[in-house]
Amino acid sequence: MIPYGRQNINAADIDAVVAVLQSDSLTQGPAVPAFEAALSTRCGGTHGIAVSNATAALHLACLALEVGPGDTVWTTPNTFVASANCARYCGAQVDFVDIDPITFNLCTIALSDKLRLAKAEGRLPKVVIPVHFAGLPCDMAEIARLGAEYGFRIIEDASHAIGSHYLGQATGNCRYSDITVFSFHPVKIITTGEGGMALTADPDLANRLRLLRSHGITRDPAEMTATSDGPWFYQQVALGFNYRMTDLQAALGNSQLKRLDNFLNRRRQLVARYDALLAKLPVGRQQRPDDRESAHHLYVVRLIGKGSQRLRVFQALRAAGIGVNVHYIPVYLQPDYLRLGFARGHCPSAEQYYAEAISLPLHPDLTDEDQDFIVATLERSLP
Ligand SMILES: *Cc1c(COP(=O)(O)O)cnc(C)c1O
């Protein structure tokens, strides 16, 4: 089976992990701060806080922005469940803003309309979490403008989007958000096995994220409520978690980060080939505005107006050994969201997109021959 996504691990990656195994610190050693520094440098000098996975980073981001019971967080339905669950972990409510059928990202017109209504009804969101779907940055300047107008904070879920650019600047620089989150799950652009990072330009938020990552415990006298009893002393000053990344993971991350540009280049080449090969087929594709550059995590085709044929086409591709997938089932259609009162019809564009979408394989080891075979099989299977 040609997988839809797959990690690429080379000898340098393996050596980096083995070196940690032979060192004194498997966790809480030098590799985590080194990885944080390398990635934050690449993202324009924001503070990086490495954590056990992006879901943990999203949870900490919500906590750092003081999301709690009585608050509402908005996100897109076209995402992995973690983008919404993070607010529920904090006791907040979640709502969803429909997608733009052209970019498959959160629609800023739908957002603007929903904000106007919410203001009139006195239920504005505290935080909005745009997701850079498939690696394509959202219209962040407009979302930030609305944030200033309506007073909400912004967490970018950039799990798909490390290496992407918006208005010429690297995602993770947080120019248009409070916190940006990356994932290093093996299907994403670079991997640490499990892993994630939160980036922020705000030093106070960075301190808060760091504190909550490790039990809410501080060893910094400036953060303590009493003078130290001695060199062993620490204080728990908030209810935190153990969301730390290990040095094994961070060493792999650092090695993978050095390879990021190679990964991005190969993904860009493959996407250009898909674009050219698919141009003659009756399928819809994600439109990528000129002012931003995708990291190309996913390549989705849409059977426009032929959602009734999606299962058959999907099965034909799978039967041919092509590991197609679907991203995403609208989050609010999950049983654990339906039970909160969500219903079909809440975000019609996201539902229609979901009915028609198929993700084709895209990863650095995909060959041109694989790709030709995928496109030929798709062409034969189309209605
Ligand atoms: C993968 C993913 C996550 C969760 O990442 P983990 O590192 O697996 O916790 C969150 N949001 C989106 C959009 C994702 O694709």
Side-chain angles (χ1 to χ4, degrees), residues 60-277:
L60 294 186
C62 287
L63 288 172
L65 296 177
E66 295 173 42
V67 170
D71 293 328
T72 305
V73 171
W74 291 1
T75 187
T76 168
N78 186 30
T79 187
F80 186 56
V81 292
S83 315
N85 287 344
C86 56
R88 293 176 58 198
Y89 297 154
C90 305
Q93 292 198 321
V94 180
D95 202 356
F96 299 89
V97 182
D98 208 353
I99 64 166
D100 172 351
I102 303 299
T103 63
F104 314 158
N105 273 334
L106 183 147
C107 173
T108 50
I109 296 167
L111 176 62
S112 174
D113 291 347
K114 195 174 171 81
L115 285 165
R116 205 171 319 111
L117 204 66
K119 186 174 182 185
E121 294 172 357
R123 45 172 193 82
L124 283 168
K126 182 160 196 171
V127 170
V128 172
I129 307 181
V131 177
H132 304 322
F133 177 77
L136 180 73
C138 293
D139 192 353
M140 289 310 301
E142 176 63 5
I143 294 169
R145 191 190 66 73
L146 291 167
E149 184 179 343
Y150 289 96
F152 60 81
R153 313 290 293 272
I154 299 167
I155 301 169
E156 294 176 69
D157 183 346
S159 292
H160 299 182
I162 189 169
S164 67
H165 286 77
Y166 176 76
L167 301 180
Q169 289 183 310
T171 297
N173 77 347
C174 298
R175 170 144 178 219
Y176 299 104
S177 64
D178 295 284
I179 298 169
T180 300
V181 168
F182 292 129
S183 171
F184 312 121
H185 182 276
V187 298
K188 307 290 164 72
I189 311 272
I190 64 170
T191 191
T192 60
E194 294 279 356
M197 191 152 345
L199 290 110
T200 179
D202 178 338
D204 294 330
L205 280 180
N207 285 341
R208 191 80 193 152
L209 290 163
R210 243 178 244 118
L211 186 74
L212 293 172
R213 163 177 69 178
S214 198
H215 308 283
I217 282 176
T218 182
R219 291 174 186 278
D220 177 357
E223 289 176 347
M224 293 183 183
T225 60
T227 50
S228 167
D229 293 348
W232 64 87
F233 197 66
Y234 60 82
Q235 277 191 331
Q236 183 190 331
V237 295
L239 182 61
F241 301 84
N242 181 353
Y243 280 169
R244 293 188 303 261
M245 177 180 275
T246 67
D247 275 42
L248 298 165
Q249 293 165 302
L252 179 56
N254 232 332
S255 180
Q256 288 261 302
L257 185 57
K258 293 186 185 129
R259 307 177 59 209
L260 174 59
D261 287 319
N262 287 339
F263 291 150
L264 293 168
N265 284 337
R266 180 58 186 152
R267 285 176 178 274
R268 204 176 297 123
Q269 279 174 357
L270 288 164
V271 165
R273 280 193 97 246
Y274 266 142
D275 283 347
L277 292 166

